[in-house]
Amino acid sequence: MLKIGFLLPPAFQIMGLAASSAFELANTTARERLYDIGFFSALGGPVVNSFGVSVETLPLARRRLDTLIVCGLVAPSPTDTQTLERLRSASRIARRTASVCTGTFLLGEAGLIDGRHVTTHWLFARALQQQFPAAKVDADRIFINDGPIWTSAGMSTGIDLALGLIEADYGAELSASVAKRLVVYHRRAGGQSQHSVLLDLGAKSDRIQHVLEYARNNLESGLSVPELAGVAHLSPRQFSRAFMTETGQSPAKAVEQLRLEAARLMIEQSRHTIEEIAAKTGFIDTERMRRAFLRVFGQPPQTLRRIARMS
């Protein structure tokens, strides 16, 4: 039986505990006690969360846990010394240490994410990178597994992370069954975007918004800068400058993101072959698409399709 411990810092956000339901249902689905779940704090006793509800906890000191999951706060703030000391000690003993949402900041304060690929809620990703420059922050991932460190994005993605942990422990079939009982999409792949590309780009003018809509509807086209500049009725130089000013990205980078988003959705929701999807979304060939998927999502197209079909 694997022992899962949730570390609850003062004023933790209660949604972080939703992940515990995944482990509970893994026990129910398997009809055996695969996981033992406990709530911990630095010294034990009641811990009041951000909503004012008190949760009874056990002291974390000298606890042998298989997996320690650190709950996040509504917004990151400095953590008390005792909690950080207990976190460091427990992580040295645990097989895995994970965080939900802004819990990644606690891992950072404890010195656990230097050199690691990590994520957190997109709203605080830049602050995380600035505060912990030795970490490799990916602001657009649902969750990331880098060795013994697992991190997730917003509070609800703690469920995706828990399903990922269950899959790593007992296989994809059990993870898919738990997801079905939770009435959630079978664990969103770790690389899935936290929000849509068009929302992320946030074009302010109708001119650039129209270009983005054109690009999304014409992915099979080359979508070169001159072509997109023609849609915007600007010279290529003027267009590139305006596009970068409004979106913070080059046209080529934005087009790749649109292609990746469309390709991922087709892979997960259609019966088109990988070759057909590469052609329909404007990639030169399947190898080019595979490399883009690995770079951005951390998984090849075939893996995302397999996960989707299991759901």
Side-chain angles (χ1 to χ4, degrees):
M1 180 170 57
L2 302 179
K3 294 185 179 295
I4 307 291
F6 285 81
L7 175 59
L8 312 184
F12 72 95
Q13 214 289 325
I14 197 166
M15 182 65 180
L17 298 183
S20 63
S21 296
F23 299 111
E24 177 190 9
L25 287 176
N27 291 345
T28 302
T29 303
R31 297 183 180 178
E32 63 176 298
R33 200 168 181 80
L34 303 176
Y35 296 103
D36 181 42
I37 305 167
F39 300 143
F40 299 89
S41 62
L43 301 177
V47 176
V48 178
N49 65 28
S50 61
F51 200 60
V53 177
S54 179
V55 176
E56 193 65 32
T57 65
L58 297 169
L60 185 59
R62 296 183 296 280
R63 296 282 174 172
R64 289 198 169 274
L65 300 171
D66 175 81
T67 304
L68 176 64
I69 300 177
V70 181
C71 290
L73 311 176
V74 172
S77 63
T79 310
D80 64 276
T81 302
Q82 285 183 318
T83 297
L84 293 178
E85 289 177 351
R86 298 294 191 274
L87 171 55
R88 290 189 196 99
S89 298
S91 67
R92 285 195 290 267
I93 300 172
R95 177 168 64 99
R96 302 177 295 204
T97 302
S99 65
V100 178
C101 195
T102 57
T104 309
F105 282 82
L106 276 76
L107 299 189
E109 290 182 81
L112 301 178
I113 62 173
D114 288 354
R116 302 279 185 187
H117 291 273
V118 296
T119 191
T120 189
H121 193 292
W122 62 268
L123 189 62
F124 303 111
R126 180 174 296 179
L128 182 69
Q129 186 67 83
Q130 291 173 342
Q131 190 170 340
F132 307 106
K136 302 172 183 177
V137 180
D138 190 332
D140 201 38
R141 296 284 291 277
I142 292 295
F143 70 86
I144 292 177
N145 167 213
D146 188 341
I149 301 298
W150 295 60
T151 54
S152 66
M155 292 296 173
S156 67
T157 63
I159 295 175
D160 300 286
L161 180 140
L163 290 169
L165 293 170
I166 292 168
E167 179 172 327
D169 293 336
Y170 296 106
E173 185 176 350
L174 177 61
S175 179
S177 297
V178 172
K180 187 174 182 179
R181 298 189 77 160
L182 285 169
V183 196
V184 298
Y185 179 81
H186 170 57
R187 100 163 159 80
R188 292 177 288 182
Q192 185 165 328
S193 176
Q194 292 188 33
H195 38 72
S196 77
V197 171
L198 286 182
L199 285 175
D200 191 31
L201 290 171
K204 300 174 180 61
S205 70
D206 290 342
R207 189 194 300 266
I208 301 301
Q209 286 180 14
H210 177 59
V211 169
L212 288 170
E213 287 288 350
Y214 172 87
R216 189 174 65 170
N217 294 329
N218 295 274
L219 293 175
E220 295 179 63
S221 176
L223 298 179
S224 64
V225 168
E227 179 183 352
L228 297 176
V231 174
H233 302 292
L234 294 170
S235 71
R237 184 186 295 272
Q238 289 174 319
F239 168 70
S240 294
R241 187 183 301 117
F243 193 94
M244 178 66 77
T245 299
E246 290 198 26
T247 68
Q249 298 197 29
S250 69
K253 181 66 174 178
V255 166
E256 182 187 63
Q257 290 184 17
L258 289 169
R259 286 186 165 131
L260 283 166
E261 182 177 64
R264 176 180 54 78
L265 289 173
M266 291 178 71
I267 283 166
E268 294 177 344
Q269 299 176 12
S270 79
R271 295 184 178 276
H272 292 300
T273 66
I274 300 297
E275 291 76 12
E276 289 171 336
I277 292 171
K280 287 178 178 292
T281 54
F283 286 97
I284 295 175
D285 51 41
T286 56
E287 177 58 24
R288 184 71 60 89
M289 185 172 76
R290 187 187 73 84
R291 291 202 301 268
F293 266 66
L294 286 171
R295 185 178 68 255
V296 176
F297 300 140
Q299 300 181 86
Q302 292 85 349
T303 299
L304 296 183
R305 168 154 284 179
R306 177 176 57 82
I307 291 171
R309 286 178 174 174
M310 285 178 181
S311 66

